[in-house]
Every structure is written in C-alpha cells, then in structure tokens.
C-alpha cells in the first residue's frame, strides 16, 4: 500500500486539542513517528493552521495554550512540509484546485489524504482518520506491492524537508564548485570518522585511485606505481577495487576470502607474503575491503603491514560508520576510501567519495590530485584529475550524515529480524553475527544458499514481487580486464563457490518489518512449503 499520507488542518487541530476523532489521529501520528507511514503537510497552510489553533484555544476555556502549542510543534516535527510553487498557485486560480491537492500531486502522487471533512476534498484517496485506521489495520499485500531491494524514494521522502532546504541553500549561494558545503562536510566527516583529514572527491573509485596515486608520490617519489608493484586485495569485491590498482599503475594480487565474513582471509595474506611469486614482483601494500559493512580483522592486517612495511588502504565504500574495536573504519589504515554512490549506506543523489587519513602529506597530495594536480590549478605539479566532490552532493551528505548512526542501527535491527526468521533453515548460511569487535552495519544482508538452488530461490522471490541481488556473481580474477594483469594467490576456489551461492536480501534503513516478514515467509515457503 501507499505509505504516504497528507494530514489536513482539521485533523491536526483535533489531535492537538483532543477533540473529534483524536485517538485515530494519534494512531496515525504514532505510525509516522515509527517510519511506518510518511506524513506530509503543505507549508502554505501553516499560517492558517496557526491562526485556527489560536482561535480554537481562545474558544476552549479549559485548554492549556502552552501544552497544546508544544503538542502542535511536536506533531509538525514528524511531518515533511511541502513547499508551494507558482505552478500550484496557477492551478488553484485556473482550475479551482486546492493547495493540499496541488502540493501532494507534485511531491507524492499516490498520497492518501486524511481529512475531517470528506466533502471539501474531492479525492478518491481521501479518508477520515477512523476510516484510514480501519483500512490500514485490514490491509493485505496486493499483487502490485513490491518489496524493493532498496527504496531510495522512501529515504528522500523521510528527509525531504531538510534535503530540499540544503539544495535551496546551494542555489542561493551559487558556489557550485567547492562551495562552503564541501569544506563543512569534510570537517564533519573527519570528526565523525576520527581522522585528521577527510577530503571529498568525485566518486568511491576516484577515492581509491587518488589515495593510491598519493601513496606512490609520497612513498615512491613517482607519479604512478609500476607493474611490478603488487597490492594485495580480495578477489570478492566490486570491480572498482581491483581496477583502481591498475589505474594507479600497480598490479593486484588477489587472495581468497574467509567465507564466514566474506572478507580478505588473513591467512591467505600471510601466505602471499611468504611466497616467492614472480621474481620481479614486490608487495607494496594491502587493500582490505570491509565488504557489506563488515570490518576486516584490522588488528591482524595492521600487524602484518607493520612487519612488512606495507601501506594499508581501507576500502570503506560499503561501511560508513562501521567500527573495529570501537574505532571507525577508514581511520585505522594508512588511508581510507569511501563511496557515496546513491545506494551506499551514506549515499548522495549522484556520485561522490571521500579519502580519510591522518597523514598531512597524503592529504595534501589528494587535495592537489583532485584539482588537476597542483595547489594552483594554473601551475600544476602532478598528473591530476578533475575529481572534486560536488557542492550539491556535499549539502545532501551533510544532512544524511546526521542520521547515519540511527540508520545503521535500523539496518542492524532488520538483520536481527532476518537472523531470527531464517536461522533454522539448513540450506541457508546466514551472515556472521556482529559482536563487540565488529560493529557490522549491514550495508548488505548476504546469505549463502548452499543447496545449489540460489537462482531458483531468486526467481521464486521475484515472482512474489521481492527484489534481490547477487553481489558478486564473478570473482575479480576471472574478469577479462584482469586477464594477464593480476597475480593470483592461492585458494581462490573458495571465492568462486561463494559467488555461486550468495544472495543479497532487501535491506535499507527504512525497510519495514512487514517487508522483512514477507521475505522471510517467502523464503521459508520455498524450502519447506511455509513451515
Ligand atoms: C567495495 C567498493 N569499492 C569501490 C566502489 C566504488 O565506488 P563508486 O561507485 O562511488 O565509484 C564501490 C561501489 O560502487 C564498492 O562497493
């Protein structure tokens, strides 16, 4: 069902003043504050609401104005205000439409209207509060209802007012390139992650490439690494991790994973370091990927790196806010690279990325590389890029970062629901439970279907309108791009078998319990006919 509801003036007044069917309104407001429904109100009607509120309070001898005003503020804080545009006004003047209807049409066309006066709102989707509550309690999943893998529209709807304000403010300042929002976001991100520096860049891929280029310049005094330089990384990750190594001039050395955590297997890393690969090669660094929001064993990786004088570049694209023993990922290695691709747990409305480090020189180099390669772009020192974080993206990320802990916590709760619902299914392996050392943020909830029927399960879920994904179907060492351009460590077979078993279930900060329940029931039906 549609989850967006628009409350009209009379309904809000009833709730605040305890008049009319205020208990039904209370029920709706509770659902809104728990993110089970999304509530809206046209900003243009706020003066009318305020005026009628004052009038009613004066008319009602026993009501306490202060108390009611607090309640009014409280309810409004749960509602997203829809701004009024010239187009809305024209429609009202030309067709006799209302502000409520025009505002809703523009922002969420499927919205349901909750009104105390049905006759004034000629809308098929209009309900009185009581009728809506009855409808809501008796709703059934319709065939057309879909469980999205990730519902980005819902995330926008939930923060619409703040995001819109941020965007308007960028427009008003008109500093589109490196506006103040970029440096403010960088300061906030550095303080959140716990590094001295955080530098915004154009994407997660660029964050990896620029970090590697800065390491080559700083540690090797050359613009790029050489083909002979090996960087150890996982064969089970997004292409960009390995591709960035090639773009920085080095060669990836792919090693196997720990199938429980899906992360770089530390024993395989040690083995790679003790093997005489090819005479000309030498290992210069480790690039651990905190896949699906789950930390690698950073104690072990940092120990190995120290023993062999290697740099550690953390790929934190999927783990903003995740921790290893109380420290935020991206603050432990030599340098960290984040992605703000829209589907990431901290995502923008387009591409974006971030490099984090405590090393002043590396930070300075990344700062130069992202702006054509020099402190002064008209007199450059290095082969640089145009890879600035967009001001608009920074403004959105600033808003979304305020909610990152709450949203990561919601992801953990959803993971717990999945764990509880699926734990007894013998043909499914659940992701590693997070515990104290690992603050998993479940960017993805990834199961392994161990009886060879992963694709059948995926199709069965699709038929029920449930979207799933397979991250990742092909290990990096089997991709054409790395053919002859990588070194294969031992025990990569385990990556190949994981690729044939993994299935990512729908998860997002605003995935509802009902949706999780439906996914769980459908999976149980597939294996055991619903038992
Ligand atoms: C593990 C990993 N590394 C790197 C990237 C690259 O990030 P972007 O898409 O922002 O370039 C991604 C995401 O897409 C990723 O998941």
């Amino acid at each position: 069902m549609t989850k967006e509801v628009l409350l009209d003036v009379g309904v809000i007044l009833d709730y605040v003043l305890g008049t009319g069917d205020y208990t039904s309104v209370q029920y709706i407001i509770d659902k809104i504050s728990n993110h089970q429904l999304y509530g809206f109100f046209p900003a243009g009607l706020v003066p009318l609401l305020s005026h009628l509120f004052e009038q009613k309070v004066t008319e009602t001898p026993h009501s306490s104005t202060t108390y009611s005003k607090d309640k009014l503020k409280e309810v409004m804080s749960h509602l997203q205000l829809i701004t009024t545009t010239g187009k809305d006004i024209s429609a009202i003047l030309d067709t006799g439409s209302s502000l409520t209807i025009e505002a809703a049409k523009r922002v969420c066309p499927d919205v349901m209207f909750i009104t105390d006066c049905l006759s004034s709102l000629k809308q098929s989707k209009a309900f009185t509060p009581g009728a809506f509550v009855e409808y809501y309690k008796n709703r059934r999943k319709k065939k057309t209802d879909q469980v999205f893998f990730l519902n980005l529209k819902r995330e926008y709807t939930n923060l619409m007012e703040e995001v819109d304000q941020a965007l308007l403010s960028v427009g008003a300042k008109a500093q589109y390139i490196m506006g103040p929002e970029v440096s403010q976001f960088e300061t906030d991100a550095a303080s959140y992650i716990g590094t001295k520096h955080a530098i915004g860049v154009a994407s997660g891929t660029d964050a990896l490439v620029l970090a590697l280029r800065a390491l080559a310049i700083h540690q090797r005094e050359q613009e790029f690494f050489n083909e002979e330089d090996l960087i150890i990384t996982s064969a089970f990750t997004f292409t960009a991790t390995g591709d960035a190594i090639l773009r920085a001039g080095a060669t990836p050395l792919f090693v196997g994973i720990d199938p429980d955590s899906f992360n770089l297997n530390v024993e395989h890393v040690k083995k790679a370091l003790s093997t005489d690969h090819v005479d000309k090669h030498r290992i210069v660094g480790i690039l651990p990927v905190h896949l699906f929001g789950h930390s690698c064993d950073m104690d072990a990786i940092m120990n190995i790196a120290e023993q062999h004088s290697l740099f550690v570049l953390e790929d934190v694209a999927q783990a903003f806010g995740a921790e290893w023993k109380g420290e935020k990922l991206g603050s432990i290695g030599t340098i960290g690279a984040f992605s703000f691709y829209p589907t990431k747990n901290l995502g923008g409305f387009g591409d974006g990325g971030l490099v984090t480090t405590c090393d002043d020189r590396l930070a300075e180099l990344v700062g130069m590389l992202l702006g054509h390669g020099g402190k002064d772009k008209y007199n450059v020192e290095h082969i640089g890029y145009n890879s600035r974080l967009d001001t608009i993206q920074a403004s959105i990320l600033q808003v979304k970062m305020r909610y990152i802990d709450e949203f990561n916590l919601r992801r953990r709760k959803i993971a717990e629901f999945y764990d509880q619902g699926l734990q007894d299914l013998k043909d499914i392996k659940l992701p590693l439970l997070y515990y104290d050392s690992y603050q998993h943020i479940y960017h993805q909830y990834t199961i392994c279907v161990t009886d060879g029927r992963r694709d059948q399960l995926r199709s069965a879920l699709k038929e029920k309108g449930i979207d799933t994904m397979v991250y990742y179907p092909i290990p990096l060492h089997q991709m054409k791009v790395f053919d002859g351009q990588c070194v294969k460590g031992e025990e990569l077979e385990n990556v190949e078998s994981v690729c044939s078993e993994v299935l990512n279930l729908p998860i997002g900060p605003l995935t509802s319990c009902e949706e999780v329940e439906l996914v769980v029931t459908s999976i149980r039906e597939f294996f055991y006919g619903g038992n």
Side-chain angles (χ1 to χ4, degrees):
M1 69 171 276
T2 313
K3 292 199 169 263
E4 287 126 350
V5 292
L6 195 143
L7 276 55
D8 86 356
V9 173
V11 165
I12 295 177
L13 287 176
D14 278 343
Y15 170 71
V16 173
L17 300 166
T19 54
D21 186 7
Y22 70 92
T23 49
S24 295
V25 188
Q26 170 88 61
Y27 179 90
I28 297 166
I29 303 278
D30 286 348
K31 296 282 163 207
I32 293 172
S33 60
N34 292 330
H35 301 286
Q36 286 163 284
L37 289 172
Y38 299 95
F40 294 88
F41 187 76
L45 293 181
V46 171
L48 176 67
L49 175 70
S50 170
H51 171 73
L52 291 177
F53 168 78
E54 298 294 347
Q55 204 175 44
K56 292 244 179 198
V57 165
T58 334
E59 280 167 11
T60 320
H62 300 302
S63 67
S64 150
T65 316
T66 326
Y67 169 73
S68 306
K69 214 168 214 165
D70 286 347
K71 209 166 170 191
L72 179 60
K73 281 189 193 158
E74 195 256 337
V75 65
M76 293 310 285
S77 75
H78 295 306
L79 304 178
Q80 301 289 325
L81 291 181
I82 309 175
T83 46
T84 307
T85 66
K87 211 168 152 212
D88 299 339
I89 304 293
S90 300
I92 294 163
L93 296 177
D94 292 345
T95 67
S97 178
S98 74
L99 188 53
T100 310
I101 289 172
E102 290 310 311
K105 232 193 249 173
R106 193 161 41 80
V107 178
C108 37
D110 289 337
V111 75
M112 292 182 173
F113 298 89
I114 318 281
T115 176
D116 60 341
C117 183
L118 282 177
S119 58
S120 68
L121 206 71
K122 291 171 192 61
Q123 267 292 324
S124 55
K125 278 185 265 160
F127 292 79
T128 60
F132 180 81
V133 171
E134 205 174 307
Y135 167 82
Y136 184 81
K137 285 182 175 167
N138 295 326
R139 76 203 181 285
R140 289 273 175 276
K141 186 186 180 290
K142 284 187 268 147
K143 253 199 155 352
T144 49
D145 282 349
Q146 208 185 340
V147 180
F148 291 102
F149 185 66
L150 172 67
N151 193 334
L152 287 179
K153 172 82 196 290
R154 202 181 278 175
E155 283 189 35
Y156 166 61
T157 301
N158 183 55
L159 297 175
M160 190 179 85
E161 206 185 313
E162 281 180 79
V163 168
D164 287 0
Q165 279 307 318
L167 291 171
L168 287 173
S169 150
V170 174
K173 291 190 206 114
Q175 291 183 44
Y176 305 124
I177 301 291
M178 294 302 224
E181 288 78 2
V182 175
S183 50
Q184 190 54 55
F185 172 67
E186 290 174 334
T187 307
D188 294 349
S191 133
Y192 178 84
I193 291 157
T195 47
K196 193 165 171 198
H197 307 278
I199 309 117
V201 293
S203 70
T205 307
D206 279 8
L208 289 166
V209 175
L210 268 61
L212 288 168
R213 290 278 322 278
L215 284 159
I217 298 170
H218 186 35
Q219 299 188 345
R220 306 289 300 283
E221 294 184 10
Q222 54 188 50
E223 289 287 312
F224 292 87
F225 285 107
N226 303 325
E227 256 178 58
E228 295 76 41
D229 296 324
L230 294 180
I231 297 173
I232 299 177
T233 196
S234 167
F236 189 59
T237 173
F238 181 57
T239 331
T241 314
D243 178 47
I245 296 176
L246 292 182
R247 291 218 263 148
T251 301
L253 191 171
F254 292 122
V255 298
I257 56 169
D258 167 3
D260 290 332
S261 69
F262 302 113
N263 279 334
L264 203 67
N265 188 319
V266 174
E267 293 312 313
H268 295 188
V269 175
K270 286 185 191 158
K271 221 178 244 180
L273 280 157
S274 64
T275 312
D276 205 5
H277 292 283
V278 188
D279 321 327
K280 59 177 185 156
H281 283 130
R282 53 190 219 108
I283 295 167
V284 294
I286 311 177
L287 202 171
V289 184
H290 305 296
L291 203 67
F292 304 144
H294 187 256
S295 176
C296 295
D297 180 342
M298 287 311 288
D299 283 356
I301 289 172
M302 294 311 288
N303 271 335
I304 297 171
E306 202 174 317
Q307 275 169 27
H308 296 267
S309 304
L310 307 175
F311 67 76
V312 174
L313 162 57
E314 293 178 74
D315 183 336
V316 211
Q318 303 187 5
F320 197 98
E323 292 177 2
W324 165 256
K325 294 191 174 167
E327 285 182 81
K328 291 272 184 302
L329 301 183
S331 72
I332 303 166
T334 322
I335 194 162
F338 292 82
S339 162
F340 301 130
Y341 185 79
T343 59
K344 296 293 189 252
N345 72 313
L346 180 63
F349 284 6
D351 283 306
L354 190 78
V355 177
T356 50
T357 184
C358 289
D359 186 301
D360 294 341
R361 178 64 182 147
L362 286 176
E364 185 183 43
L365 284 165
V366 171
M368 284 198 267
L369 290 171
L370 71 86
H372 300 282
K375 285 177 202 147
D376 173 356
K377 75 172 173 181
Y378 301 109
N379 182 13
V380 301
E381 292 161 56
H382 300 286
I383 303 168
Y385 308 82
N386 176 356
S387 181
R388 297 169 292 233
L389 176 64
D390 199 81
T391 305
I392 287 186
Q393 300 308 332
S395 75
I396 294 162
L397 291 165
Q398 247 182 308
V399 171
K400 291 183 91 178
M401 199 166 69
R402 285 181 216 138
Y403 297 91
I404 192 69
D405 287 340
E406 181 192 330
F407 279 12
N408 283 343
L409 193 65
R410 288 179 157 272
R411 286 176 180 277
R412 277 191 212 116
K413 286 262 168 269
I414 290 159
E416 269 174 36
F417 287 141
Y418 275 135
D419 285 346
Q420 281 158 17
L422 300 173
Q423 61 190 351
D424 60 317
L425 298 187
K426 68 174 175 37
D427 294 320
I428 282 185
K429 190 169 155 222
L430 300 181
L432 203 66
L433 267 181
Y434 74 89
Y435 54 93
D436 286 350
S437 306
Y438 305 82
Q439 190 67 276
H440 199 333
I441 52 91
Y442 294 98
H443 173 60
Q444 297 295 339
Y445 187 88
T446 312
I447 59 171
C448 283
V449 183
T450 54
D451 71 350
R453 291 195 296 156
R454 189 262 317 269
D455 294 339
Q456 286 103 305
L457 171 61
R458 199 169 177 215
S459 305
L461 293 175
K462 185 81 205 154
E463 259 177 38
K464 296 194 170 214
I466 298 168
D467 288 340
T468 56
M469 295 298 282
V470 170
Y471 296 134
Y472 295 95
I474 302 171
L476 265 55
H477 62 276
Q478 290 185 339
M479 288 185 188
K480 192 159 178 263
V481 63
F482 297 109
D483 203 5
Q485 300 216 73
C486 72
V487 171
K488 294 177 193 170
E490 286 167 50
E491 304 182 55
L492 288 170
E493 311 75 45
N494 77 350
V495 183
E496 289 154 30
S497 69
V498 163
C499 285
S500 66
E501 291 178 347
V502 276
L503 186 67
N504 305 85
L505 303 184
I507 191 163
L510 301 172
T511 303
S512 69
C513 300
E514 284 167 339
E515 286 168 327
V516 176
E517 244 172 67
L518 189 75
V519 179
V520 166
T521 317
S522 307
I523 294 176
R524 298 190 72 84
E525 264 171 28
F526 175 83
F527 284 108
Y528 301 119
N531 295 319

